[in-house]
Amino acid sequence: MKHLFLVIAVFVFNNCFSQNDLELKIINDTIKKVSKFDNNNIVYALKNNSNKTYLIILDSDEFNEDGEYHVERQFVGLPDYYIFEKKTLLPVQYAFHNGENEFKVDKNSSDFKKFRQSYSKFFSHQDLEIAFRISKKIVKLKPQEEKYFSTRVNFPAYKRRFIDLKNKSEYYFQISLQTPKEIVEKYYQPIRNINNKDSIFVGQIFSNKIPLIYKVYNDK
């Protein structure tokens, strides 16, 4: 029992430590939707508040569409987003990945051929493609460095995700970045340069919440 408690304590400590080291912040003051045709650019920053360099798996072009808290292995690095009505998290009515375009690997590219030649012995066919995508989505943050990213989102639906929003209610928008330890160990550690001593981010960090102003009367 003592040993189990120690393992849990170390895990909690490391997870909290990483969250304190890294800061995720939405730069927009508000998000507004006053027509069903409106799209919004979400600008957010990742800042390294620590004195060590961090490697972060981040695919900044899209959002994760598979529910609130689960990240499938092929979509690790996609930020999640959440919508709150006052203090209540709104459920996603349905969510499906559009995996045909965003994550298709060009198997004839010279980059993928070199990657396959070097690492095919570590992965199955599908896992090799996932590891290759991850290798192209690594963001490095030096101590005290901050980087900015922009992602487009459309409310109330983002592609195939749907969240039921009503006019003039009090809404808030939040994002998070989630990197499960088991995915990092399986897909990133085998391809990592053994001489690279930088820390890889594992865990989940949450951004600030910003107001989402929704006043759409022509959406039916």
Coordinates of all heavy atoms in Angstrom, one line a residue, residues 22-31 42-46 80-84 146 172-177 205-212:
L22 N 4.0 25.0 -17.9 CA 3.4 25.4 -19.2 C 2.1 26.1 -19.0 O 1.3 25.7 -18.2 CB 3.2 24.2 -20.1 CG 4.5 23.4 -20.5 CD1 4.1 22.2 -21.3 CD2 5.4 24.3 -21.3
E23 N 1.9 27.2 -19.7 CA 0.7 28.0 -19.6 C 0.0 28.1 -21.0 O 0.7 28.4 -22.0 CB 1.1 29.4 -19.2 CG -0.1 30.3 -19.0 CD 0.3 31.8 -18.6 OE1 1.5 32.0 -18.4 OE2 -0.6 32.6 -18.6
L24 N -1.2 27.8 -21.0 CA -2.1 27.9 -22.2 C -3.1 29.0 -22.1 O -3.8 29.0 -21.1 CB -2.8 26.5 -22.5 CG -3.7 26.4 -23.7 CD1 -2.8 26.5 -25.0 CD2 -4.4 25.0 -23.7
K25 N -3.0 30.0 -23.0 CA -3.9 31.1 -22.8 C -4.5 31.5 -24.1 O -3.8 31.7 -25.2 CB -3.0 32.3 -22.3 CG -3.9 33.6 -22.0 CD -3.0 34.7 -21.5 CE -3.8 35.9 -21.2 NZ -3.0 37.0 -20.7
I26 N -5.9 31.7 -24.1 CA -6.6 32.3 -25.3 C -6.4 33.8 -25.3 O -6.6 34.4 -24.3 CB -8.1 31.9 -25.2 CG1 -8.3 30.4 -25.2 CG2 -8.8 32.5 -26.4 CD1 -9.7 30.0 -25.0
I27 N -6.0 34.3 -26.4 CA -5.7 35.7 -26.6 C -7.0 36.5 -26.8 O -7.1 37.7 -26.4 CB -4.7 36.0 -27.7 CG1 -3.4 35.1 -27.4 CG2 -4.3 37.4 -27.8 CD1 -2.8 35.4 -26.0
N28 N -7.9 36.0 -27.6 CA -9.2 36.7 -27.8 C -9.8 37.1 -26.5 O -9.9 36.4 -25.5 CB -10.2 35.8 -28.6 CG -9.6 35.1 -29.8 OD1 -8.6 34.3 -29.7 ND2 -10.3 35.2 -30.9
D29 N -10.4 38.3 -26.5 CA -11.2 38.8 -25.4 C -12.5 38.1 -25.3 O -13.0 37.7 -24.3 CB -11.4 40.3 -25.5 CG -10.1 41.1 -25.2 OD1 -9.2 40.5 -24.5 OD2 -9.9 42.2 -25.8
T30 N -13.2 38.0 -26.5 CA -14.5 37.3 -26.6 C -14.5 36.6 -28.0 O -13.7 36.9 -28.9 CB -15.6 38.3 -26.6 OG1 -15.5 39.3 -27.6 CG2 -15.8 39.0 -25.2
I31 N -15.5 35.7 -28.1 CA -15.8 35.2 -29.4 C -17.3 35.5 -29.7 O -18.1 35.4 -28.8 CB -15.7 33.6 -29.4 CG1 -14.3 33.2 -29.0 CG2 -15.9 33.1 -30.8 CD1 -14.1 31.8 -28.7
I42 N -9.6 31.5 -33.4 CA -9.1 31.4 -32.0 C -7.6 31.5 -31.9 O -6.9 30.7 -32.5 CB -9.6 30.1 -31.4 CG1 -11.1 29.8 -31.6 CG2 -9.2 30.0 -29.9 CD1 -12.0 30.9 -31.0
V43 N -7.2 32.6 -31.3 CA -5.7 32.8 -31.2 C -5.3 32.4 -29.8 O -5.9 32.9 -28.8 CB -5.3 34.3 -31.5 CG1 -3.8 34.4 -31.4 CG2 -5.8 34.6 -32.9
Y44 N -4.3 31.6 -29.6 CA -3.9 31.2 -28.3 C -2.4 31.1 -28.2 O -1.7 31.0 -29.2 CB -4.5 29.8 -27.9 CG -4.2 28.7 -28.8 CD1 -3.2 27.8 -28.4 CD2 -4.9 28.4 -29.9 CE1 -2.9 26.7 -29.2 CE2 -4.7 27.3 -30.7 CZ -3.6 26.5 -30.4 OH -3.3 25.4 -31.2
A45 N -1.9 31.2 -27.0 CA -0.5 31.2 -26.8 C -0.1 30.0 -25.9 O -0.8 29.6 -24.9 CB 0.0 32.5 -26.1
L46 N 1.1 29.5 -26.1 CA 1.7 28.5 -25.2 C 3.0 29.1 -24.7 O 3.8 29.6 -25.5 CB 2.1 27.2 -26.0 CG 1.1 26.1 -26.0 CD1 1.6 25.0 -27.0 CD2 0.9 25.5 -24.6
D80 N -8.4 20.2 -27.4 CA -9.8 20.0 -27.2 C -10.4 21.4 -27.0 O -9.7 22.3 -26.5 CB -10.0 19.2 -25.9 CG -9.6 17.7 -26.1 OD1 -10.1 17.1 -27.0 OD2 -8.8 17.3 -25.3
Y81 N -11.7 21.5 -27.2 CA -12.4 22.8 -26.8 C -13.6 22.4 -26.0 O -14.3 21.4 -26.2 CB -12.7 23.7 -28.0 CG -13.8 23.4 -28.8 CD1 -15.1 23.7 -28.5 CD2 -13.7 22.8 -30.1 CE1 -16.2 23.4 -29.3 CE2 -14.7 22.5 -30.9 CZ -16.0 22.8 -30.5 OH -17.1 22.5 -31.3
Y82 N -14.0 23.3 -25.1 CA -15.2 23.2 -24.3 C -16.0 24.4 -24.3 O -15.5 25.5 -24.3 CB -14.7 22.9 -22.8 CG -13.6 21.9 -22.7 CD1 -12.3 22.3 -22.5 CD2 -13.8 20.5 -22.8 CE1 -11.2 21.5 -22.5 CE2 -12.8 19.6 -22.7 CZ -11.5 20.1 -22.5 OH -10.4 19.2 -22.5
I83 N -17.3 24.2 -24.1 CA -18.2 25.4 -24.0 C -19.1 25.2 -22.8 O -19.6 24.1 -22.5 CB -19.2 25.5 -25.3 CG1 -18.3 25.8 -26.5 CG2 -20.2 26.6 -25.1 CD1 -19.1 25.8 -27.8
F84 N -19.1 26.3 -22.0 CA -19.8 26.3 -20.7 C -21.0 27.2 -20.8 O -20.9 28.3 -21.4 CB -18.9 26.7 -19.5 CG -17.8 25.8 -19.3 CD1 -16.6 25.9 -20.0 CD2 -17.9 24.9 -18.2 CE1 -15.5 25.0 -19.8 CE2 -16.8 24.0 -17.9 CZ -15.6 24.1 -18.7
E146 N 7.5 32.1 -25.5 CA 6.0 32.0 -25.8 C 5.8 32.0 -27.3 O 6.4 32.7 -28.0 CB 5.4 33.3 -25.2 CG 3.8 33.3 -25.3 CD 3.2 34.4 -24.5 OE1 3.9 35.5 -24.5 OE2 2.2 34.3 -23.9
Y172 N -19.2 30.5 -22.1 CA -17.8 30.6 -22.0 C -17.1 29.5 -22.8 O -17.6 28.4 -22.9 CB -17.3 30.6 -20.6 CG -17.9 31.7 -19.8 CD1 -19.0 31.6 -19.1 CD2 -17.2 33.0 -19.7 CE1 -19.6 32.7 -18.3 CE2 -17.7 34.0 -19.0 CZ -18.9 33.9 -18.3 OH -19.4 34.9 -17.6
F173 N -15.9 29.9 -23.4 CA -15.2 29.0 -24.3 C -13.8 28.8 -23.6 O -13.2 29.7 -23.1 CB -15.0 29.7 -25.6 CG -14.2 28.9 -26.6 CD1 -14.7 27.9 -27.4 CD2 -12.8 29.2 -26.8 CE1 -14.0 27.2 -28.3 CE2 -12.1 28.5 -27.7 CZ -12.6 27.5 -28.4
Q174 N -13.4 27.5 -23.7 CA -12.1 27.1 -23.1 C -11.4 26.1 -24.0 O -12.1 25.3 -24.7 CB -12.3 26.6 -21.7 CG -11.0 26.2 -21.0 CD -11.3 25.6 -19.6 OE1 -12.2 24.8 -19.4 NE2 -10.5 26.0 -18.6
I175 N -10.1 26.0 -24.0 CA -9.4 24.9 -24.7 C -8.4 24.2 -23.8 O -8.1 24.8 -22.7 CB -8.7 25.4 -26.0 CG1 -7.6 26.4 -25.6 CG2 -9.6 26.0 -27.0 CD1 -6.7 26.9 -26.8
S176 N -8.0 23.1 -24.2 CA -7.0 22.4 -23.4 C -6.1 21.6 -24.4 O -6.5 21.3 -25.5 CB -7.6 21.4 -22.4 OG -8.0 20.2 -23.0
L177 N -4.9 21.2 -23.9 CA -4.0 20.4 -24.6 C -3.8 19.1 -23.8 O -3.3 19.3 -22.6 CB -2.7 21.1 -25.0 CG -1.8 20.3 -25.9 CD1 -2.4 20.1 -27.2 CD2 -0.5 21.1 -26.0
I205 N -3.2 20.4 -19.9 CA -3.3 21.8 -19.4 C -4.5 22.5 -20.0 O -5.0 22.2 -21.1 CB -2.0 22.6 -19.8 CG1 -1.7 22.5 -21.3 CG2 -0.8 22.2 -18.9 CD1 -0.5 23.4 -21.7
F206 N -5.1 23.4 -19.2 CA -6.3 24.1 -19.5 C -6.0 25.6 -19.7 O -5.2 26.2 -19.0 CB -7.4 23.9 -18.5 CG -7.9 22.5 -18.4 CD1 -7.3 21.6 -17.6 CD2 -9.0 22.1 -19.1 CE1 -7.8 20.3 -17.5 CE2 -9.5 20.8 -19.1 CZ -8.9 19.9 -18.2
S207 N -6.8 26.2 -20.6 CA -6.6 27.6 -20.8 C -7.6 28.4 -19.9 O -8.4 27.8 -19.2 CB -7.0 28.0 -22.3 OG -8.4 27.9 -22.5
N208 N -7.5 29.7 -20.0 CA -8.5 30.6 -19.4 C -9.8 30.4 -20.2 O -9.9 29.8 -21.3 CB -8.0 32.0 -19.5 CG -7.7 32.4 -20.9 OD1 -7.0 31.7 -21.7 ND2 -8.0 33.6 -21.3
K209 N -10.9 30.9 -19.5 CA -12.2 30.9 -20.2 C -12.5 32.3 -20.7 O -12.2 33.3 -20.0 CB -13.3 30.5 -19.2 CG -13.2 29.0 -18.8 CD -14.3 28.7 -17.8 CE -14.2 27.3 -17.2 NZ -15.2 27.0 -16.2
I210 N -13.1 32.4 -21.9 CA -13.4 33.7 -22.4 C -14.9 33.7 -22.8 O -15.5 32.6 -23.1 CB -12.6 34.1 -23.6 CG1 -12.8 33.1 -24.8 CG2 -11.1 34.2 -23.2 CD1 -12.1 33.6 -26.1
P211 N -15.6 34.8 -22.8 CA -17.0 34.9 -23.1 C -17.2 34.5 -24.6 O -16.5 34.9 -25.5 CB -17.4 36.3 -22.9 CG -16.4 36.8 -21.9 CD -15.1 36.1 -22.3
L212 N -18.3 33.7 -24.8 CA -18.8 33.4 -26.2 C -20.1 34.0 -26.3 O -21.1 33.7 -25.6 CB -18.9 31.9 -26.3 CG -19.7 31.4 -27.5 CD1 -19.1 31.9 -28.9 CD2 -19.8 29.8 -27.5

